[in-house]
Amino acid sequence: MKTTLSVLTLLIVFSFNIFAQDFKHTILEGHTESVTRIVFSSDGKMLASASHDRTIRIWDVATGTHRHKLTGHNAYIYSVAFSPDGKTLASGSENGKIRLWDATTGQYRVTLEGHRSAVRSVAFSPDGKTLASGSSDTTIRLWNAITGSYKVTLEGHYREVNSVAFSPDGKTLASGSDQTIRLWDASTGFHKKTIEQNGYNVAFIENGKTLVSGNRLYDAVTGQQKQTLNVSNLNYVSINSDATILAGVSSRIILLWDIATEIEVASLAGHTSTIYSLTFSPGGKILASGSSDRTIRLWDLSTHVHITPSTIESPPVGEQFEINIDIAGGQDVRGYKITVDYDSDSLQYVSHANGDYLSDDVFEGPTLSQSGQVSFINISTADAGSGDGTLATITFKVISRRASTISLSAMLSNSDGSRLPYIVISGKVVEPPWDVNGDGAVDILDLSFVAARFGQENQTVADVNGDGAVDIKDLITIASGLDTEAAAPAALGANLNKTLIKTTVQKWITQAQQLNLTDARSQRGIRFLEQLLASLMPQKTALLANYPNPFNPETWIPYHLAKSADVTLTIHTANGAVVRTLTFGNMSAGIYQSRGRAAYWDGRNEVGESVASGIYFYTLTAGKFTATRKMLILK
């Protein structure tokens, strides 16, 4: 009876969607005035907080206990940063002074002086040897982080520098100020690029590939804007390290947004006054917030329900792919309802299978599927699930190859039917960016484009897999995205490039096979090349019409060979007199149609004399095959 009632209770909960998010959080208290800046150590074990009370506090994240209180600044403290090894803490204050501290003991080490006004931001380089500081005096200074000695001043901003950040490789420094972001060479201080956009706060994510400022994401190399999130009126924005969740402050509330779908997924309420600082822990499982209510709150975001993979490169039309609905950090999960919305113009729902997260004794509710949405319920009648795992696997079929979003919503319940808070991370389908020649289509010409650049470096377009060199792997990647029809002779038409000859395609296949590529994409690419090779192999030997015809003084005579043969072309008059014999030797099977491959006659006889106007005949002999056609010389 108890089991039956539990299942019934959960079904009622899921049916009426009465779920509200109530995230667990820890409150850290100790500051006597507003908390202005908070930062995690690189291992996520420590948190440092700066305050208007002119102190810095270091906290143990796991226990929420206070470790050290750092005193010595005689002005408001606006910025703090841990060194990569967590042993040093830097702090910048309103009077322009920077202090370095031993983060383990809390002992003061040295003061760095040079800025003329408030130090708004500090950051260590990835190797911990350089400290960058941004100030209200509009400058950035680079310091030796070991000795504290001054290195160089970076000038160019005309307003206060609110944020500085090093790229993960340490080669680039980004600074945010005066509605611009500036990129600098971190070793020389040379100005590399200015991005004319909101530059209040900057951060590198996705291993340095993307630069974030406010609600905008930029290519960290080119500075080109990649995405603008449809999120407004948010302050002190922070994005987790894998660029899936954006957090921002709206009044006293923290809002969380799914970056892929730009849908709000949760709100965190608890602070009683203005929030001044917001940051994710390195693993993204904790979000810390500091407020003028003098408290710090550590929000537990460890439970995620997410689509894996978060980004799917669309396979060709007609093929299927799977996504997993995974859960991380679940605690006492007894049942769930999953709803997935998708683009019905590009995808078709095929089926779903429940994962192994819950026990084998599972009550499966009805599956509700309509155009663009599928929803299903699972409730364990035995043990609840905890930790990480897969809730379900969904299979889709591609009906139109284009970019779209797969939006996920889920509801979780524990054993007594109570709500469970979680973060939902959706996914997206992208059309592979393999139109390398930029003509608006992914086709044979893109293969030719890549092949013509084999061996070249610094070819960001042709190097489609981004490994620094254009090679057979790039060609296979593009080939994997082509539909079977693209290999048909009719699809080649006039686009047949001289690089796409049989011997070249055969060489590509051989190189690919030698790499022993076993992943699905590579196998698709190899299959396409094999189909392309077959299309370049004529089904039968044939002699075609010469061109131009009439001609004067030269012409090209095309032919097809279904198999290799000794080829001879004889030109003769209407009465059978031989004018010229062209011997080509043994020719491999293939299409000899373009001017570079067809048989060529210059209109001269065996002794080099131009022949007279009139009707002539040409006969092709290829092994046992013989065929004759006529042509006209008109002078």
Side-chain angles (χ1 to χ4, degrees):
M1 176 64 76
K2 181 179 179 181
T3 298
T4 303
L5 288 177
S6 297
V7 171
L8 180 59
T9 299
L10 293 184
L11 281 174
I12 293 172
V13 169
F14 291 143
S15 297
F16 288 96
N17 294 346
I18 53 174
F19 264 57
Q21 300 287 25
D22 185 16
F23 287 87
K24 294 187 297 183
H25 62 278
T26 302
I27 302 175
L28 309 183
E29 297 179 293
H31 285 295
T32 59
E33 293 189 37
S34 298
V35 178
T36 56
R37 189 65 62 90
I38 50 178
V39 63
F40 284 97
S41 60
S42 59
D43 61 7
K45 295 180 179 180
M46 292 187 291
L47 180 81
S49 57
S51 172
H52 279 173
D53 66 11
R54 297 171 173 80
T55 70
I56 301 160
R57 289 177 179 261
I58 299 178
W59 311 82
D60 184 291
V61 174
T63 64
T65 56
H66 174 248
R67 285 188 176 186
H68 303 293
K69 178 181 178 180
L70 314 183
T71 60
H73 280 293
N74 57 6
Y76 291 166
I77 305 170
Y78 288 133
S79 55
V80 285
F82 279 103
S83 62
D85 61 8
K87 295 180 179 180
T88 302
L89 185 75
S91 58
S93 67
E94 186 180 30
N95 61 10
K97 294 183 179 180
I98 301 168
R99 285 188 164 226
L100 299 183
W101 314 79
D102 186 310
T104 304
T105 65
Q107 294 297 308
Y108 160 76
R109 284 177 44 200
V110 66
T111 298
L112 316 183
E113 299 186 65
H115 283 298
R116 301 186 303 276
S117 57
V119 177
R120 295 283 176 179
S121 54
V122 288
F124 284 91
S125 61
D127 62 8
K129 296 180 180 180
T130 300
L131 178 75
S133 58
S135 170
S136 294
D137 65 13
T138 74
T139 70
I140 301 158
R141 286 186 169 233
L142 300 183
W143 314 80
N144 184 309
I146 309 300
T147 65
S149 60
Y150 162 77
K151 296 172 69 173
V152 66
T153 298
L154 315 184
E155 298 181 294
H157 287 296
Y158 59 84
R159 293 184 63 182
E160 63 185 24
V161 181
N162 293 296
S163 181
V164 289
F166 284 93
S167 60
D169 62 8
K171 295 180 180 180
T172 300
L173 178 74
S175 58
S177 172
D178 53 47
Q179 301 300 305
T180 67
I181 300 168
R182 286 183 173 242
L183 302 180
W184 315 80
D185 185 296
S187 59
T188 65
F190 175 76
H191 173 239
K192 298 164 67 174
K193 189 179 295 293
T194 297
I195 303 172
E196 301 290 340
Q197 290 289 353
N198 174 29
Y200 185 83
N201 63 313
V202 292
F204 287 93
I205 59 173
E206 299 179 312
N207 199 28
K209 294 180 180 180
T210 300
L211 186 68
V212 179
S213 180
N215 65 337
R216 295 181 175 92
L217 281 66
Y218 303 90
D219 186 295
V221 176
T222 66
Q224 294 296 311
Q225 188 169 312
K226 298 169 66 175
Q227 185 179 2
T228 299
L229 303 177
N230 186 26
V231 181
S232 59
N233 300 321
L234 290 184
N235 299 312
Y236 309 108
V237 169
S238 180
I239 293 180
N240 63 351
S241 58
D242 59 0
T244 55
I245 296 293
L246 175 143
V249 176
S250 177
S251 185
R252 300 173 185 178
I253 305 297
I254 301 168
L255 301 178
L256 303 180
W257 295 73
D258 182 341
I259 291 177
T261 61
E262 300 184 20
I263 296 173
E264 181 183 335
V265 295
S267 62
L268 313 178
H271 283 294
T272 59
S273 190
T274 305
I275 299 172
Y276 285 135
S277 186
L278 200 64
T279 185
F280 281 97
S281 65
K285 294 184 178 181
I286 297 175
L287 180 69
S289 56
S291 168
S292 59
D293 65 10
R294 300 175 295 181
T295 70
I296 301 154
R297 294 181 182 239
L298 303 180
W299 305 89
D300 183 356
L301 306 181
S302 58
T303 302
H304 284 199
V305 179
H306 55 97
I307 290 176
T308 305
S310 59
T311 300
I312 305 102
E313 289 183 351
S314 175
V317 172
E319 292 196 16
Q320 297 181 0
F321 67 87
E322 294 180 345
I323 60 169
N324 286 335
I325 310 299
D326 289 338
I327 184 171
Q331 298 178 16
D332 187 31
V333 178
R334 183 68 177 281
Y336 56 81
K337 176 182 179 181
I338 291 174
T339 300
V340 174
D341 291 278
Y342 58 92
D343 179 8
S344 59
D345 291 330
S346 61
L347 301 177
Q348 176 184 330
Y349 164 73
V350 176
S351 63
H352 79 273
N354 294 310
D356 56 2
Y357 192 71
L358 299 182
S359 67
D360 292 336
D361 298 322
V362 172
F363 172 82
E364 297 185 15
T367 298
L368 303 177
S369 179
Q370 56 185 343
S371 179
Q373 186 182 85
V374 60
S375 180
F376 50 90
I377 296 172
N378 249 19
I379 301 171
S380 172
T381 58
D383 298 328
S386 293
D388 302 345
T390 297
L391 299 177
T393 298
I394 302 178
T395 302
F396 290 101
K397 180 179 179 179
V398 178
I399 57 178
S400 176
R401 200 176 202 192
R402 65 183 187 183
S404 64
T405 298
I406 301 177
S407 300
L408 170 67
S409 60
M411 290 182 286
L412 308 177
S413 179
N414 65 12
S415 295
D416 61 8
S418 300
R419 61 183 180 269
L420 292 174
Y422 56 91
I423 297 295
V424 174
I425 303 174
S426 296
K428 55 187 177 182
V429 178
V430 297
E431 184 176 357
W434 301 333
D435 177 20
V436 292
N437 68 348
D439 65 356
V442 180
D443 54 23
I444 297 296
L445 293 181
D446 295 296
L447 286 179
S448 179
F449 184 93
V450 171
R453 289 158 179 78
F454 267 18
Q456 296 183 19
E457 298 180 355
N458 300 318
Q459 283 283 337
T460 56
V461 176
D463 180 18
V464 292
N465 66 355
D467 65 358
V470 181
D471 54 24
I472 187 62
K473 292 181 180 179
D474 299 299
L475 193 112
I476 292 297
T477 298
I478 289 184
S480 70
L482 297 178
D483 294 330
T484 303
E485 291 79 6
L492 297 175
N495 292 336
L496 185 62
N497 188 285
K498 64 181 180 181
T499 62
L500 293 178
I501 58 177
K502 182 186 74 70
T503 54
T504 301
V505 176
Q506 181 63 70
K507 182 176 68 175
W508 292 344
I509 294 172
T510 301
Q511 290 177 357
Q513 291 171 338
Q514 289 173 346
L515 292 176
N516 193 29
L517 302 171
T518 58
D519 61 284
R521 176 192 289 172
S522 296
Q523 288 298 308
R524 279 201 307 268
I526 293 172
R527 284 199 303 271
F528 176 84
L529 291 182
E530 289 172 342
Q531 292 162 353
L532 176 59
L533 178 62
S535 73
L536 294 171
M537 298 287 286
Q539 298 301 308
K540 60 182 181 179
T541 300
L543 177 63
L544 307 180
N546 69 304
Y547 61 91
N549 191 5
F551 68 93
N552 176 29
E554 56 187 2
T555 189
W556 286 262
I557 302 171
Y559 59 95
H560 294 172
L561 292 181
K563 59 182 180 180
S564 61
D566 292 328
V567 175
T568 300
L569 190 71
T570 304
I571 298 152
H572 47 88
T573 62
N575 62 9
V578 175
V579 176
R580 182 83 174 267
T581 299
L582 303 174
T583 303
F584 300 103
N586 188 268
M587 304 295 290
S588 58
I591 297 173
Y592 297 84
Q593 193 161 331
S594 66
R595 291 199 176 197
R597 289 170 58 79
Y600 169 74
W601 182 42
D602 58 7
R604 298 177 181 273
N605 60 22
E606 297 286 6
V607 296
E609 300 171 334
S610 296
V611 300
S613 297
I615 295 176
Y616 293 81
F617 293 85
Y618 55 96
T619 298
L620 177 75
T621 302
K624 297 180 179 180
F625 175 85
T626 300
T628 301
R629 299 184 74 123
K630 70 178 180 179
M631 58 184 170
L632 174 65
I633 295 180
L634 185 62
K635 296 186 177 180

